[in-house]
Amino acid sequence: MAETVAGQPYEYQRRELVEPDWTRFPGWRDVTAAQWQSAQWQRVNCVKNIKQLRAVLGDLVDESFYADLEDDHQRLATMSMLLPPQMLNTMVPDRAPDTASFYADPVRRYMLPVATDRHLDWPSHPHATRDSLHEHDMWVAEGLTHRYPTKVLAELLSTCPQYCGHCTRMDLVGNSTPTVDKLRLTLKPVDRYTLHLDYLKAHPGVRDVVVSGGDVANVPWKQLEAYLMGLLSVPTVRDIRLATKALMGLPQHWLQDDVVEGMHRVAVTAERRGVNLAVHTHVNHVNSLTPLVARAVRTLLEVGVRDVRNQGVLMRGVNATVGDLLDLCFALQGEAGILPYYFYMCDMIPNAEHWRVPVWHAQQLQHDLMGYLPGYATPRIVCDVPFVGKRWVHMVADYDREHGISYWTKNYRTSIEADDSEALSKLYAYYDPIDTLPESGQDWWRKQQQA
């Protein structure tokens, strides 16, 4: 008898990055390479509404798709539409899409959600909230969240070059939608930035600043450079991380001469002062990685940025299989020069249940990732627990699988718990999506809703 070879659960095959042919879309048939590589052209030609999307796609997809998209926008969407051509071009990248392939595309599923994507029985978890991580509650100055003892999050602005359907900051970021009236930053940027620096100077225990928004790619470069140089003037700040999904969604921005030259000045200053300067991006699927993205990453590293790291989000229909995650991580680390860092469980915002995965699923994915990637490039899958923060998914203290309730502990107080003597001893709950529970658990939640 012939010997049976079982094989490996995952077989690695190198996949070199490819820039999809944008001329496969009717609306871009005459777009030149020079136009495509221009950040200004990309920004001017962002898709912001169904009319503009139809102008790009033509009759490749049926009218039923546009109706589905409009239905979602009117009833369910927490983010408005904003898609740079670069990002839209990575949907169905190997051919002109048709309706079925466009519906099935993983990038489309989270960047251009439609009503039929969502779980209409349970579109939102009963415990979902607009500011699910309570970042706004922890502002110590406008746009400055102090959640961890030694770290702050600086939200410099409330816009991005692209809007993700699952945005955890949907309470603040982007234009209002028919279902969400957004909060607004009210101070002038220069006044907001001054308050940030004043707080850091007054709190020497804070050593790490995540500079975000929104997306720092939307901050005018002179303003961003001034802010970063201000951070570098604070001697107790030792880590600075710039958060920009645009490194993937609009790499052309990070290749502009003024941005490259400015990043070099910032990186040289950081190196001289012994400060770790890194860029964090947000890539959720391997199809989003192209040679332009790799070129932008390489340029950042060449001018002196210490690391470029990825913080993805686990989402059903997008990347919640071990094959999807490993394909992405190998392309990040081996082809694009980006270190796989975190994959977050999708946060408990409204109308996000169809994306979220249960804790047990995340634990299984972490198990199945081990052993394939280099240790330093094996990402951690984390649950960002409200009032707690990031926790590796295996750190759960207790777990009621039937009702989908996990319980977590923490070892520090947030900025709003200084006087809470029980903050470090109590359990904090997190909730699995209800549709993933056994029928008995789903029935229990239905009764809770009726009570």
Side-chain angles (χ1 to χ4, degrees):
M1 289 180 64
E3 184 176 341
T4 301
V5 179
Q8 298 291 354
Y10 175 85
E11 298 286 349
Y12 167 73
Q13 288 186 326
R14 185 182 177 191
R15 169 181 168 175
E16 295 188 36
L17 304 183
V18 175
E19 206 74 47
D21 178 11
W22 57 85
T23 65
R24 73 191 187 282
F25 290 106
W28 294 335
R29 282 191 179 134
D30 298 323
V31 174
T32 67
Q35 288 174 306
W36 192 262
Q37 293 174 25
S38 162
Q40 182 179 5
W41 185 91
Q42 290 279 332
R43 287 185 185 271
V44 167
N45 289 278
C46 280
V47 172
K48 305 180 184 72
N49 54 54
I50 291 175
K51 180 180 178 181
Q52 292 174 343
L53 181 64
R54 188 182 278 109
V56 174
L57 298 181
D59 59 1
L60 293 176
V61 301
D62 294 341
E63 284 298 316
S64 58
F65 176 83
Y66 298 116
D68 203 357
L69 183 59
E70 176 65 20
D71 185 29
D72 190 74
H73 175 71
Q74 293 298 330
R75 295 193 301 113
L76 297 163
T78 59
M79 298 298 293
S80 57
M81 189 189 309
L82 184 61
L83 278 169
Q86 173 75 24
M87 191 153 214
L88 182 53
N89 193 42
T90 64
M91 299 180 191
V92 196
D94 58 343
R95 64 191 186 279
D98 57 19
T99 304
S101 61
F102 202 59
Y103 262 114
D105 184 81
V107 179
R108 196 282 308 161
R109 283 182 179 271
Y110 82 92
M111 289 302 302
L112 201 61
V114 294
T116 56
D117 289 338
R118 305 193 194 255
H119 292 162
L120 299 183
D121 287 346
W122 293 102
S124 300
H125 196 280
H127 288 280
T129 58
R130 286 174 47 144
D131 181 17
S132 66
L133 302 180
H134 304 278
E135 290 177 339
H136 180 259
D137 296 335
M138 299 177 195
W139 276 6
V140 291
E142 185 179 83
L144 190 67
T145 297
H146 193 173
R147 182 156 62 133
Y148 299 99
T150 62
K151 299 180 279 189
V152 292
L153 166 71
E155 297 166 306
L156 297 194
L157 76 173
S158 60
T159 66
C160 302
Q162 67 286 304
Y163 291 138
C164 308
H166 64 282
C167 181
T168 191
R169 297 194 186 114
M170 47 75 59
D171 193 39
L172 174 71
V173 171
N175 301 318
S176 295
T177 71
T179 57
V180 181
D181 186 19
K182 305 285 177 121
L183 295 177
R184 288 287 174 259
L185 298 170
T186 59
L187 295 177
K188 293 179 180 179
V190 65
D191 295 332
R192 187 161 57 253
Y193 302 167
T194 297
L195 290 175
H196 291 189
L197 293 176
D198 288 346
Y199 184 83
L200 292 169
K201 291 171 185 175
H203 293 80
V206 178
R207 62 173 306 283
D208 183 354
V209 182
V210 178
V211 185
S212 184
D215 190 312
V216 296
N218 268 15
V219 182
W221 178 257
K222 288 183 179 179
Q223 282 187 26
L224 181 58
E225 184 172 351
Y227 185 87
L228 297 175
M229 290 300 192
L231 294 180
L232 289 168
S233 73
V234 181
T236 48
V237 172
R238 311 311 298 154
D239 276 279
I240 298 174
R241 295 178 273 171
L242 304 183
T244 173
K245 187 183 180 75
L247 184 58
M248 173 272 285
L250 189 66
Q252 294 86 347
H253 170 82
W254 294 102
L255 290 165
Q256 295 176 107
D257 289 344
D258 63 328
V259 175
V260 173
E261 292 164 5
M263 282 298 295
H264 179 61
R265 290 190 294 270
V266 172
V268 167
T269 304
E271 194 277 332
R272 286 175 178 167
R273 298 183 181 179
V275 176
N276 298 310
L277 177 67
V279 170
H280 285 192
T281 193
H282 174 188
V283 186
N284 292 323
H285 196 273
V286 66
N287 289 354
S288 296
L289 295 171
T290 75
L292 268 173
V293 176
R295 183 177 149 205
V297 173
R298 187 167 59 249
T299 300
L300 287 171
L301 295 173
E302 287 172 353
V303 300
V305 171
R306 173 176 171 170
D307 288 303
V308 178
R309 308 179 186 118
N310 186 61
Q311 297 186 159
V313 177
L314 277 183
M315 287 179 282
R316 286 188 278 177
V318 178
N319 58 14
T321 72
V322 69
D324 286 330
L325 291 181
L326 285 171
D327 285 349
L328 172 55
C329 290
F330 278 118
L332 286 166
Q333 193 265 341
E335 309 299 330
I338 302 171
L339 186 71
Y341 179 39
Y342 282 139
F343 281 101
Y344 288 83
M345 296 176 66
C346 184
D347 289 321
M348 289 176 48
I349 57 169
N351 298 335
E353 289 302 273
H354 65 295
W355 284 311
R356 295 202 309 120
V357 301
V359 168
W360 63 262
H361 188 154
Q363 291 174 332
Q364 187 64 50
L365 287 172
Q366 184 72 82
H367 173 276
D368 293 347
L369 281 175
M370 302 305 292
Y372 288 93
L373 293 151
Y376 67 88
T378 300
R380 298 169 180 170
I381 298 179
V382 294
C383 182
D384 209 342
V385 182
F387 294 111
V388 175
K390 292 182 290 294
R391 286 292 179 265
W392 301 348
V393 289
H394 284 84
M395 292 174 67
V396 61
D398 198 6
Y399 191 8
D400 176 355
R401 285 277 298 269
E402 181 183 8
H403 300 113
I405 308 173
S406 51
Y407 297 93
W408 308 76
T409 60
K410 66 178 180 178
N411 57 322
Y412 49 80
R413 292 179 174 86
T414 67
S415 59
I416 61 174
E417 296 170 317
D419 299 324
D420 186 350
S421 61
E422 298 180 355
L424 306 187
S425 59
K426 61 185 175 184
L427 295 174
Y428 297 83
Y430 187 84
Y431 303 92
D432 289 345
I434 293 172
D435 71 284
T436 66
L437 304 182
E439 193 58 40
S440 60
Q442 295 188 42
D443 286 341
W444 184 84
W445 280 104
R446 290 188 191 100
K447 292 174 183 175
Q448 301 302 305
Q449 287 287 85
Q450 295 165 2

